[in-house]
Amino acid sequence: MVNNVTDIPETSSNCGYSRERLLDLSGKILEKLEQKLTQGERFKMSQSDPTYLGYIRAFSSLMTAHNSTLKDFELAELDLRVKQLEVESSHKELVRVKE
């Protein structure tokens, strides 16, 4: 947990949790839940299950928010690239017209 208010989280995709990593983490959680539900003939609840499920809910909410932020960042990068390509394309068309 960050105690210093001046510590600002990174906004780039270099912060360690790419969309691929988030997908991998959620897949591991799904596998663990599937194992819990399918082991043995019947489901056996353990004492730590409510706590674990609380962490999964928190992780899911954070993962959704983080993925949305990554998507917005990637869309902004793509928008910039499209604009640059449009400028280059219009510049090439002007050069052709002048010739």
Side-chain angles (χ1 to χ4, degrees):
M1 186 171 173
V2 176
N3 291 330
N4 190 348
V5 178
T6 60
D7 288 343
I8 299 171
E10 293 184 38
T11 56
S12 72
S13 58
N14 296 331
C15 64
Y17 286 94
S18 66
R19 295 175 86 180
E20 292 81 15
R21 181 149 185 234
L22 291 175
L23 184 61
D24 184 53
L25 288 170
S26 65
K28 288 178 182 177
I29 290 172
L30 286 173
E31 287 175 3
K32 187 171 180 178
L33 288 174
E34 180 185 21
Q35 287 174 357
K36 176 74 174 173
L37 293 173
T38 58
Q39 70 182 4
E41 293 183 19
R42 57 184 277 229
F43 177 79
K44 297 175 187 169
M45 186 170 168
S46 69
Q47 196 173 18
S48 63
D49 281 349
T51 303
Y52 179 69
L53 292 174
Y55 280 115
I56 289 175
R57 282 190 290 276
F59 173 76
S60 177
S61 296
L62 289 170
M63 184 176 61
T64 301
H66 189 72
N67 187 46
S68 178
T69 302
L70 288 173
K71 181 177 76 173
D72 291 346
F73 182 74
E74 290 170 358
L75 287 174
E77 286 180 342
L78 287 174
D79 188 42
L80 179 62
R81 289 176 60 191
V82 167
K83 288 179 182 176
Q84 288 172 343
L85 289 171
E86 288 172 344
V87 168
E88 290 174 12
S89 176
S90 65
H91 178 69
K92 287 180 183 178
E93 288 177 20
L94 287 175
V95 170
R96 276 191 232 144
V97 170
K98 289 181 181 179
E99 293 175 347

mmCIF file of all heavy atoms in Angstrom, residues 3 11 20 25 28 51 53 69 76 85 87 91-92:
data_model
loop_
_atom_site.group_PDB
_atom_site.id
_atom_site.type_symbol
_atom_site.label_atom_id
_atom_site.label_comp_id
_atom_site.label_asym_id
_atom_site.label_seq_id
_atom_site.Cartn_x
_atom_site.Cartn_y
_atom_site.Cartn_z
ATOM 1 N N ASN A 3 1.834 4.833 1.132
ATOM 2 C CA ASN A 3 1.546 5.749 2.228
ATOM 3 C C ASN A 3 1.824 7.192 1.844
ATOM 4 O O ASN A 3 1.288 8.102 2.442
ATOM 5 C CB ASN A 3 2.376 5.393 3.460
ATOM 6 C CG ASN A 3 1.928 4.089 4.079
ATOM 7 O OD1 ASN A 3 0.766 3.729 3.991
ATOM 8 N ND2 ASN A 3 2.846 3.368 4.674
ATOM 9 N N THR A 11 1.015 5.463 -15.465
ATOM 10 C CA THR A 11 -0.143 5.373 -16.346
ATOM 11 C C THR A 11 0.164 4.614 -17.616
ATOM 12 O O THR A 11 -0.710 4.388 -18.421
ATOM 13 C CB THR A 11 -0.640 6.784 -16.716
ATOM 14 O OG1 THR A 11 0.444 7.511 -17.301
ATOM 15 C CG2 THR A 11 -1.166 7.514 -15.506
ATOM 16 N N GLU A 20 -2.429 -8.856 -20.982
ATOM 17 C CA GLU A 20 -2.131 -10.280 -21.046
ATOM 18 C C GLU A 20 -1.900 -10.854 -19.648
ATOM 19 O O GLU A 20 -2.346 -11.954 -19.329
ATOM 20 C CB GLU A 20 -0.898 -10.536 -21.925
ATOM 21 C CG GLU A 20 -1.110 -10.237 -23.390
ATOM 22 C CD GLU A 20 -0.979 -8.759 -23.736
ATOM 23 O OE1 GLU A 20 -0.447 -7.968 -22.907
ATOM 24 O OE2 GLU A 20 -1.421 -8.374 -24.826
ATOM 25 N N LEU A 25 -3.675 -13.939 -14.839
ATOM 26 C CA LEU A 25 -4.030 -13.997 -13.417
ATOM 27 C C LEU A 25 -5.477 -14.442 -13.219
ATOM 28 O O LEU A 25 -5.766 -15.278 -12.355
ATOM 29 C CB LEU A 25 -3.806 -12.637 -12.753
ATOM 30 C CG LEU A 25 -2.357 -12.220 -12.544
ATOM 31 C CD1 LEU A 25 -2.284 -10.764 -12.098
ATOM 32 C CD2 LEU A 25 -1.683 -13.117 -11.539
ATOM 33 N N LYS A 28 -5.775 -18.133 -13.774
ATOM 34 C CA LYS A 28 -5.294 -18.933 -12.641
ATOM 35 C C LYS A 28 -6.334 -18.990 -11.530
ATOM 36 O O LYS A 28 -6.532 -20.032 -10.895
ATOM 37 C CB LYS A 28 -3.982 -18.361 -12.118
ATOM 38 C CG LYS A 28 -2.820 -18.606 -13.052
ATOM 39 C CD LYS A 28 -1.548 -17.978 -12.540
ATOM 40 C CE LYS A 28 -0.410 -18.197 -13.522
ATOM 41 N NZ LYS A 28 0.831 -17.544 -13.099
ATOM 42 N N THR A 51 -12.987 -15.413 3.102
ATOM 43 C CA THR A 51 -11.911 -14.434 2.957
ATOM 44 C C THR A 51 -11.344 -14.479 1.549
ATOM 45 O O THR A 51 -11.147 -13.450 0.905
ATOM 46 C CB THR A 51 -10.790 -14.697 3.983
ATOM 47 O OG1 THR A 51 -11.355 -14.665 5.293
ATOM 48 C CG2 THR A 51 -9.687 -13.665 3.873
ATOM 49 N N LEU A 53 -12.789 -15.539 -1.205
ATOM 50 C CA LEU A 53 -13.764 -15.003 -2.151
ATOM 51 C C LEU A 53 -13.843 -13.481 -2.068
ATOM 52 O O LEU A 53 -14.056 -12.807 -3.080
ATOM 53 C CB LEU A 53 -15.138 -15.630 -1.913
ATOM 54 C CG LEU A 53 -15.229 -17.114 -2.265
ATOM 55 C CD1 LEU A 53 -16.577 -17.679 -1.848
ATOM 56 C CD2 LEU A 53 -14.965 -17.345 -3.733
ATOM 57 N N THR A 69 -8.470 1.185 -17.909
ATOM 58 C CA THR A 69 -7.462 2.234 -18.024
ATOM 59 C C THR A 69 -6.436 1.884 -19.096
ATOM 60 O O THR A 69 -6.059 2.734 -19.908
ATOM 61 C CB THR A 69 -6.751 2.452 -16.674
ATOM 62 O OG1 THR A 69 -7.734 2.783 -15.692
ATOM 63 C CG2 THR A 69 -5.724 3.554 -16.747
ATOM 64 N N ALA A 76 -5.861 5.782 -26.983
ATOM 65 C CA ALA A 76 -5.274 7.107 -27.191
ATOM 66 C C ALA A 76 -4.025 6.998 -28.066
ATOM 67 O O ALA A 76 -3.811 7.833 -28.959
ATOM 68 C CB ALA A 76 -4.931 7.754 -25.854
ATOM 69 N N LEU A 85 -0.825 9.030 -39.458
ATOM 70 C CA LEU A 85 -0.948 8.409 -40.778
ATOM 71 C C LEU A 85 -1.787 9.264 -41.720
ATOM 72 O O LEU A 85 -1.491 9.362 -42.918
ATOM 73 C CB LEU A 85 -1.539 7.011 -40.656
ATOM 74 C CG LEU A 85 -0.633 5.946 -40.044
ATOM 75 C CD1 LEU A 85 -1.425 4.666 -39.787
ATOM 76 C CD2 LEU A 85 0.554 5.666 -40.947
ATOM 77 N N VAL A 87 -2.045 12.533 -41.618
ATOM 78 C CA VAL A 87 -1.211 13.665 -42.002
ATOM 79 C C VAL A 87 -0.210 13.235 -43.075
ATOM 80 O O VAL A 87 -0.024 13.924 -44.082
ATOM 81 C CB VAL A 87 -0.487 14.263 -40.769
ATOM 82 C CG1 VAL A 87 0.604 15.235 -41.188
ATOM 83 C CG2 VAL A 87 -1.489 14.930 -39.846
ATOM 84 N N HIS A 91 -0.102 14.523 -46.933
ATOM 85 C CA HIS A 91 1.142 15.126 -47.419
ATOM 86 C C HIS A 91 1.578 14.447 -48.716
ATOM 87 O O HIS A 91 1.996 15.111 -49.668
ATOM 88 C CB HIS A 91 2.243 15.021 -46.357
ATOM 89 C CG HIS A 91 3.556 15.578 -46.800
ATOM 90 N ND1 HIS A 91 3.745 16.925 -47.006
ATOM 91 C CD2 HIS A 91 4.728 14.966 -47.099
ATOM 92 C CE1 HIS A 91 4.992 17.122 -47.412
ATOM 93 N NE2 HIS A 91 5.610 15.944 -47.473
ATOM 94 N N LYS A 92 1.471 13.126 -48.797
ATOM 95 C CA LYS A 92 1.838 12.389 -50.003
ATOM 96 C C LYS A 92 0.923 12.763 -51.160
ATOM 97 O O LYS A 92 1.359 12.873 -52.301
ATOM 98 C CB LYS A 92 1.790 10.883 -49.746
ATOM 99 C CG LYS A 92 2.922 10.376 -48.897
ATOM 100 C CD LYS A 92 2.812 8.883 -48.671
ATOM 101 C CE LYS A 92 3.929 8.398 -47.756
ATOM 102 N NZ LYS A 92 3.814 6.957 -47.475
#
